[in-house]
Amino acid sequence: MTVHIGAQPGDIAETVLMPGDPLRAKWAAERFLENPVCVNEVRGMLGFTGTWRGNRVTIHGSGMGMPSLSIYTNELIRDYGAKTLIRIGSCGAMQKHIKLRDVILATTSSTLSTPSSGFFRELNFAPSADFGLLHKAFHVADARKMPVHVGGIYSSDVFYDERPDLNEQMVRHGVLAVEMEAAELYTLAARYGCRALAVLTVSDHLLTEEALPSEDRQSSFSDMVEIALEAAFA
Ligand code: HPA
C-alpha cells in the first residue's frame, strides 16, 4: 500500500492505462478486461487489474490535472513497478484542420510548468512520447480508418483559461490540442525509464467552440481503450 493506492504489491500490472475519470476506469475494465479485480479505491480513485488477450493490464484513474496524475504515476512506477503507462483522455483542438472525435497522439507536450518544473529550474525539458508505442498506436488508428493527428500538444494547469494571447501563440506554432496531464506523464516516464503515450480524442474545439455530445464521448473513449491496448500488446 502507498499513501494514495490501496493495492497490495503485485496487484498492479506492468502496463497501466490511465483515464482521468475513475468511473471510466471501472467502465473500461468491465468492458475490455477478463476477470477485472478492483485494486484501489482510496479517495474514490479506482484501479482495476485483469487481462486482455492473456496480457495482464491495470486501468487506473489519474484524476484531473498534472498534480493529481503525478501522485498516481509516481506511486504506480516507484512502488508497484509499472513500466508502460498510456493516458487515454480528451482534449480541446487548437487547429482548424482537426475535427471533433479525431484522435491525437502527442509526440510532446508544452507547459507553463509541471510538478517537475521545480528541479529543472532554467531548463525547458522537452517531455517525449515513447516512439514504439506511438508508432504502433498510429498504425492501429490508421488501420481502423480513424482520423489521427500526430504532434505536439499543450498540457495546461487550468481548464478555465484566462490567457487568450498564449493560446493564440500556440495555435500559431502548430500545437494540436490542449489537455491537462500528458507533460507530467512523459516527464515521469523519462525519469524512471518507462514508456509513456497519450492517446486523446477531441471532445471540444477551441476555435469553433463545438463540443462532442455525451453519447459520442463514450464511443470515443472505447476507441481509445482499444488503440491503447493494441499499442501496448499487439
Ligand atoms: N482545456 C483543457 N483540457 C481539456 C480541454 C480544454 O479545452 N478539453 C478537454 N480537456
Side-chain angles (χ1 to χ4, degrees):
M1 278 178 53
T2 58
V3 179
H4 304 95
I5 301 179
Q8 298 303 313
D11 280 352
I12 304 282
E14 285 195 356
T15 299
V16 184
L17 268 48
M18 300 186 82
D21 178 354
L23 291 176
R24 286 263 159 114
K26 182 173 193 290
W27 182 87
E30 287 169 355
R31 168 104 169 62
F32 290 97
L33 302 189
E34 295 111 36
N35 308 314
V37 174
C38 182
V39 292
N40 187 30
E41 46 188 0
V42 175
R43 289 178 181 241
M45 183 50 75
L46 303 174
F48 296 82
T49 298
T51 57
W52 181 78
R53 298 188 189 164
N55 300 288
R56 214 158 163 258
V57 50
T58 295
I59 307 184
H60 194 290
S62 69
M64 289 180 281
M66 290 184 277
S68 176
L69 173 131
S70 188
I71 289 171
Y72 295 109
T73 304
N74 263 290
E75 294 180 14
L76 287 165
I77 295 174
R78 291 161 47 169
D79 299 290
Y80 293 100
K83 300 266 182 270
T84 296
L85 301 106
I86 305 181
R87 162 162 159 69
I88 44 180
S90 59
C91 63
M94 299 182 94
Q95 299 294 328
K96 276 205 193 104
H97 67 281
I98 298 177
K99 308 285 176 232
L100 292 184
R101 242 179 164 275
D102 287 4
V103 176
I104 307 239
L105 302 175
T107 49
T108 185
S109 188
S110 303
T111 57
L112 289 178
S113 70
T114 69
S116 299
S117 309
F119 67 79
F120 284 124
R121 300 170 66 162
E122 68 274 40
L123 180 76
N124 284 314
F125 179 72
S128 305
D130 177 80
F131 182 70
L133 286 176
L134 178 70
H135 186 253
K136 275 200 194 161
F138 176 79
H139 284 290
V140 173
D142 198 44
R144 291 166 169 245
K145 311 248 179 295
M146 291 175 187
V148 53
H149 309 270
V150 180
I153 62 164
Y154 169 45
S155 295
S156 176
D157 289 330
V158 288
F159 186 85
Y160 298 103
D161 195 22
E162 299 284 347
R163 287 289 306 272
D165 59 315
L166 192 58
N167 285 344
E168 264 171 44
Q169 288 305 332
M170 282 189 278
V171 172
R172 180 174 169 225
H173 287 83
V175 170
L176 300 179
V178 55
E179 51 84 85
M180 299 181 67
E181 292 83 14
E184 177 69 0
L185 177 67
Y186 288 6
T187 302
L188 290 172
R191 189 175 312 153
Y192 295 110
C194 296
R195 308 193 300 163
L197 178 67
V199 179
L200 308 166
T201 53
V202 177
S203 62
D204 51 274
H205 206 298
L206 270 64
L207 304 179
T208 64
E209 297 184 354
E210 301 161 281
L212 212 56
S214 56
E215 318 80 82
D216 289 14
R217 286 177 194 240
Q218 189 79 299
S219 58
S220 300
F221 182 68
S222 259
D223 290 341
M224 285 188 286
V225 176
E226 289 177 343
I227 293 172
L229 288 169
E230 291 200 26
F233 300 116

